[in-house]
Amino acid sequence: MATDGGSSRVIAGRYRLCARLGRGGMGIVWRAVDEVLGREVAVKELRLDETLSADEARQLRERMLREARIVAGVRHPHVIVVHDVVVEDEQPYIVMEVIDGGSLADRLASQGPVSPAQAARLCLSLLGALRAAHARGVLHRDIKPGNVLLEAGTDRAVLTDFGIAQVAGATTLTEYGAFVGSPEYTAPERMAGGQTGPESDLWSLGVLLCAAVTGESPFHRDSLGGVLHAVVMDEIRPPSAVAPLLPAVHGLLERSPERRIDAVEAERLLSAYVTTGTMPPVPAGYTPAHADVRVAERAAMPVDMPGFPADATPSSVPSATSAAALSEAPVPREPGRRRSRRSALIAVALVVAVAGAGAGAAAFLLDRGQDHDDPPASSAPETTHTTEPPSETSGDPSPGPTVTVTEPGGDGRPKVPAGYRIAQDAEGFSLAVPRAYVRERQAPRVFYVSADDKVRIGIKSTKPVPGGPMAAMRSAAAKGPDNNPGYRDGRVTETTHNGRTAALWEFTWDGFTEKEGARHTLDLTWEEGGRMYDVWVSAPLARKGEAKRHFDTALDTFGVRGGR
């Protein structure tokens, strides 16, 4: 673990920051020592970008303090414990229990899937945490393996990162029109912009249950469009490894939230499996508790979502299914309806989602923060073609969500190289990125990320700073050792970009974790149209050539809405 920037700092007169444990969209988590009580703690520090406006910085501070209040109010053995909240020099810090051990995502990456029994015990722990949170009106909204910590030696599962949680009746400190969460683990009703409740967290738990025994989400695809299609429209075909847990999986991954099993029923099924090794079926005619309330709350939600037949219950799916039969037994389709009509409605639901439904500001946004590929506004002729994410079904040519890829031509801009696409970003710029890269947003940057999460293209638009691009890059480089463990070979060079003064910062560093390994980063900043743009690519050192190619392509094709 790196100690850069930590070992000499003491906050609130008692918490000595010792080693960096991790870094996320809102800041850095440190291993620290409470020098008053003589115990180790974890301290989450909000790191604000100096280019943020005073109002933006204030909102981020309020959001972090809100997270602390939410977590402190949910007391459960499987929810991270908040010890203290301090503010020093206007910077908030959350002091939490330290969990020695990595996340479930780390476990799956290093050791592979767990057994069905282990997965059932894990999800039982998380069900308890969710029931405690839901009882206080708190929805987590981002349940995924990366947000589940596993304590070394005990394997105690701890739910963490309530940064985008929602409290019933509370005003959210998030961006208008944005969608938050991790798309592979997000419930279809959230994708479609419908009102959500505890059942949306239960869908995410069902996806996590599958991921624990297979190594990845059943909705994993190579593009955002593919993920959307899989979550909202594709037949759900649980892998054969999920067979022992099938009743719970089918009950939790019921696309209609009104028909999805609730926490009590999920707990009954998983507990029975842990105790007996066999999971019972969902009772015939099962209706989740308060289903009438669910229906009333979602009266305006898009209807006809695919899932179980209208006259079926989760118990209609066999409770014991062979591996061979699993591949032949997707979630049943609705009888007596034409698939074309349902597909059209689902396409509409996807359009609703892409048009900016939902709320929040975190890793993933759909429109007004979406990676969509609409042709840029221009009087010059352009050639476009459409692609459809591949469906796992066959025989019925029902339409899926359409992604438009733009091949510029006739306007003087470089042609998009093979394997790339133009991303017309909602932040007001466009650029070419590899086709499989997925958009994420961690304020104040927008990222386009490779499927293996190892290569990242980052773009930031801010107000110009005194001294221009060179001053901005020199300031960033001066902080390089603090923000980038193992920082070395850093250099800032004055250059130009499309005739405008620019500054290039290039450096090598060790990544935030030992597993991440040595990385190389290229970063160019320039001013255009009254804004300062910053484009960088970071990749493993062994993929330095690939990173340079993506960097050059991004800069060659970069355009600002209303300008070049």
Side-chain angles (χ1 to χ4, degrees), residues 35-113:
E35 296 185 332
V36 173
L37 297 181
R39 65 178 177 182
E40 284 196 329
V41 294
V43 175
K44 185 172 183 178
E45 174 188 10
L46 178 64
R47 299 298 293 269
L48 295 174
D49 190 291
E50 61 186 16
T51 61
L52 292 176
S53 68
D55 186 60
E56 290 170 332
R58 177 188 57 78
Q59 289 193 34
L60 284 177
R61 292 188 191 100
E62 290 180 0
R63 179 180 165 192
M64 187 171 181
L65 292 173
R66 173 178 168 271
E67 176 191 355
R69 288 192 294 270
I70 288 173
V71 182
V74 181
R75 297 182 180 180
H76 191 273
H78 298 287
V79 174
I80 195 78
V81 175
V82 171
H83 296 309
D84 196 3
V85 178
V86 298
V87 178
E88 186 168 288
D89 295 330
E90 296 187 349
Q91 291 281 25
Y93 299 83
I94 303 177
V95 183
M96 304 171 288
E97 67 173 318
V98 64
I99 305 296
D100 283 317
S103 68
L104 175 60
D106 295 331
R107 168 76 64 86
L108 296 176
S110 62
Q111 301 179 33

Side-chain angles (χ1 to χ4, degrees), residues 392-546:
E392 295 180 355
T393 62
S394 60
D396 189 337
S398 57
T402 299
V403 178
T404 305
V405 180
T406 306
E407 301 284 357
D411 61 358
R413 294 181 62 185
K415 185 175 177 63
V416 178
Y420 290 80
R421 61 187 173 85
I422 287 288
Q424 188 78 1
D425 200 277
E427 297 292 325
F429 58 80
S430 61
L431 77 168
V433 299
R435 287 185 180 274
Y437 278 36
V438 175
R439 186 188 194 275
E440 295 181 356
R441 192 175 193 281
Q442 296 180 9
R445 285 190 186 272
V446 171
F447 295 95
Y448 289 87
V449 185
S450 62
D452 61 7
D453 201 34
K454 292 184 178 179
V455 182
R456 301 175 70 84
I457 302 171
I459 308 98
K460 181 172 67 174
S461 170
T462 62
K463 297 177 181 178
V465 300
M470 280 298 289
M473 284 290 92
R474 284 172 176 159
S475 175
K479 300 174 184 176
D482 291 336
N483 295 328
N484 301 277
Y487 177 84
R488 59 191 180 275
D489 300 331
R491 59 184 181 274
V492 176
T493 308
E494 187 168 8
T495 182
T496 61
H497 176 65
N498 292 331
R500 301 176 177 91
T501 299
L504 174 66
W505 178 27
E506 186 172 359
F507 61 94
T508 301
W509 56 300
D510 288 339
F512 291 119
T513 64
E514 183 176 346
K515 178 182 173 183
E516 196 174 14
R519 299 180 65 81
H520 191 76
T521 299
L522 295 158
D523 191 347
L524 187 79
T525 295
W526 74 97
E527 293 181 13
E528 179 174 352
R531 301 288 292 173
M532 177 172 284
Y533 291 93
D534 182 342
V535 174
W536 63 252
V537 176
S538 181
L541 190 58
R543 296 166 69 173
K544 182 177 177 180
E546 176 187 347

Side-chain angles (χ1 to χ4, degrees), residues 161-215:
D161 201 349
F162 283 72
I164 63 170
Q166 179 179 352
V167 179
T171 301
T172 57
L173 299 168
T174 49
E175 294 174 321
Y176 172 76
F179 182 93
V180 298
S182 303
E184 294 176 29
Y185 292 85
T186 298
E189 63 268 20
R190 286 194 62 216
M191 291 284 195
Q195 295 183 32
T196 59
E199 59 273 17
S200 297
D201 278 347
L202 294 176
W203 167 282
S204 301
L205 186 71
V207 182
L208 185 143
L209 181 61
C210 289
V213 294
T214 64

Side-chain angles (χ1 to χ4, degrees), residues 76 78-79 123-133 267:
H76 191 273
H78 298 287
V79 174
C123 286
L124 275 172
S125 298
L126 298 178
L127 268 172
L130 288 176
R131 291 184 70 177
E267 192 171 78

